[in-house]
Amino acid sequence: MRILVNEEPRDIATATLAGLLDELGYGDARVATAVNGAFVPAARRGSLTLDEGARVEILAPMQGG
């Protein structure tokens, strides 16, 4: 399936947001997620099914000093 991840086209094999995070190497990392402009809490990622053309945003915290 083809979706957009952070505005970049991606072909993915998984159907859920949690599966996408694993597929992209995020695993258990603490990230914020949104699908089609709507925030998705971590507790819903396993049950949220992605559709063809979905727009996914993944934001990871930045550290600095």
Side-chain angles (χ1 to χ4, degrees):
M1 162 174 30
R2 192 151 180 90
I3 65 170
L4 288 175
V5 178
N6 296 340
E7 301 299 323
E8 293 187 21
R10 296 260 187 162
D11 290 311
I12 61 168
T14 188
T16 66
L17 182 54
L20 173 65
L21 292 174
D22 285 339
E23 190 173 316
L24 296 178
Y26 286 97
D28 293 328
R30 296 182 63 92
V31 295
T33 54
V35 176
N36 298 326
F39 172 73
V40 180
R44 287 199 45 232
R45 293 175 187 160
S47 63
L48 188 120
T49 303
L50 299 171
D51 295 320
E52 182 79 25
R55 291 177 297 116
V56 178
E57 295 292 329
I58 303 169
L59 302 170
M62 304 264 308
Q63 292 187 359

